[in-house]
Amino acid sequence: MNCILSPSLLSADFTKLGKEIKICEENNVPYLHIDVMDGMFVPNISIGIPVVKSIRKITDLVLDVHLMIVKPERYIDAFAEAGSDIINIHYEATDNCIPVLKRIRELGKKAALTIKPKTSYEDVLPFAEYTDMFLVMSVEPGFGGQSFIDSTLKNVEGLAEYKAKNRLNYDIEIDGGINTDNLTRPLDAGANVIVAGSAIFGKEDIVNRIQKFNEIMSRY
Ligand code: DX5
Ligand code: ZN
């Protein structure tokens, strides 16, 4: 399995964003995870379209944009235009995700469908054919630095089982509370795209932290 690290910029130092992105590039990180919060779907506000646009100008890394916003259909075109490569929408945030996922693909982007910890993977299986990646939240969305919720591994396992049984090839991403001590658990469960925010940024030694992730992930 080829595993992908997607560092969450939510925990980066926004005064040094260019520099921290450069460190990711120099250490073979393939994706950057960008968390967009609207203060409605989640009780926090983060960054939006202008920041995605600025990041697009300085890097060719895959921009993995996680929209924690109500009715994401309102902003798909804008985030595509800003330079997103993958657009993650929440299953819980829209009445009908099929047209939204279709629109993302129509714009030439990868469509990802995200579930909160209390949502079951079974609820999103009907959308597998419209989805390039499922994102399993392993914390309640809204904040970095929370503890991993063990029960969410069953969502990863369920998606992995369904994928193998039906010979599908969507990616399975996991987001929230992941560090180098618990990383093997989602990997063993079948996740192949790993988001990590506070375990990478926010302290000294970003390089060592990325390398430790890379080392563990290379075993899978
Ligand atoms: C939370 C975000 C995450 C967050 C992860 O709502 O979706 O991407 O940045 O941060 P850590 O890795 O610190 O839990
Ligand atoms: Zn996220």
Side-chain angles (χ1 to χ4, degrees):
M1 182 161 73
N2 253 347
C3 297
I4 294 168
L5 182 60
S6 190
S8 164
L9 295 179
L10 190 62
S11 292
D13 180 343
F14 289 130
T15 65
K16 300 185 195 147
L17 205 48
K19 210 169 143 192
E20 302 204 342
I21 290 171
K22 191 105 212 118
I23 296 176
C24 290
E25 287 175 345
E26 287 164 359
N27 288 279
N28 305 316
V29 166
Y31 286 11
L32 291 173
H33 186 85
I34 303 177
D35 290 298
V36 177
M37 303 178 186
D38 66 352
M40 293 289 285
F41 183 70
V42 290
N44 198 5
I45 296 178
S46 57
I47 53 174
I49 296 156
V51 179
V52 175
K53 252 187 202 158
S54 301
I55 294 173
R56 180 73 294 161
K57 283 189 198 139
I58 61 154
T59 187
D60 290 328
L61 295 187
V62 172
L63 301 186
D64 169 31
V65 176
H66 177 191
L67 297 182
M68 285 162 272
I69 66 177
V70 171
K71 298 201 184 302
E73 53 271 29
R74 296 171 298 150
Y75 289 103
I76 298 306
D77 287 49
F79 277 98
E81 167 82 6
S84 313
D85 296 298
I86 303 171
I87 301 181
N88 298 273
I89 60 154
H90 267 266
Y91 165 68
E92 304 87 354
T94 182
D95 294 333
N96 184 1
C97 36
I98 294 177
V100 197
L101 295 166
K102 277 187 172 168
R103 180 65 186 152
I104 297 171
R105 282 182 166 175
E106 230 171 66
L107 292 164
K109 311 297 179 180
K110 282 195 173 172
L113 190 56
T114 309
I115 50 172
K116 298 209 283 185
K118 289 189 192 101
T119 303
S120 166
Y121 75 93
E122 288 174 317
D123 294 348
V124 290
L125 293 179
F127 308 110
E129 64 176 292
Y130 305 99
T131 304
D132 300 299
M133 179 165 81
F134 285 107
L135 166 52
V136 172
M137 288 306 300
S138 41
V139 298
E140 285 300 332
F143 300 91
Q146 305 179 73
S147 300
F148 186 84
I149 301 172
D150 286 317
S151 60
T152 60
L153 284 173
K154 67 179 182 313
N155 279 337
V156 175
E157 285 158 2
L159 288 167
E161 217 171 279
Y162 185 81
K163 174 176 158 174
K165 208 159 118 194
N166 295 283
R167 300 181 183 198
L168 299 171
N169 53 16
Y170 51 75
D171 288 312
I172 304 174
E173 181 173 43
I174 185 150
D175 179 8
I178 296 162
N179 53 52
T180 48
D181 291 331
N182 63 15
L183 173 59
T184 56
R185 302 190 60 208
L187 290 170
D188 287 337
N192 69 311
V193 182
I194 302 291
V195 178
S198 54
I200 289 181
F201 298 110
K203 294 176 196 117
E204 293 302 302
D205 239 8
I206 299 172
V207 175
N208 279 341
R209 287 154 177 272
I210 293 173
Q211 283 174 357
K212 182 81 187 147
F213 269 90
N214 284 345
E215 195 263 305
I216 296 170
M217 290 170 67
S218 71
R219 295 185 219 146
Y220 283 80

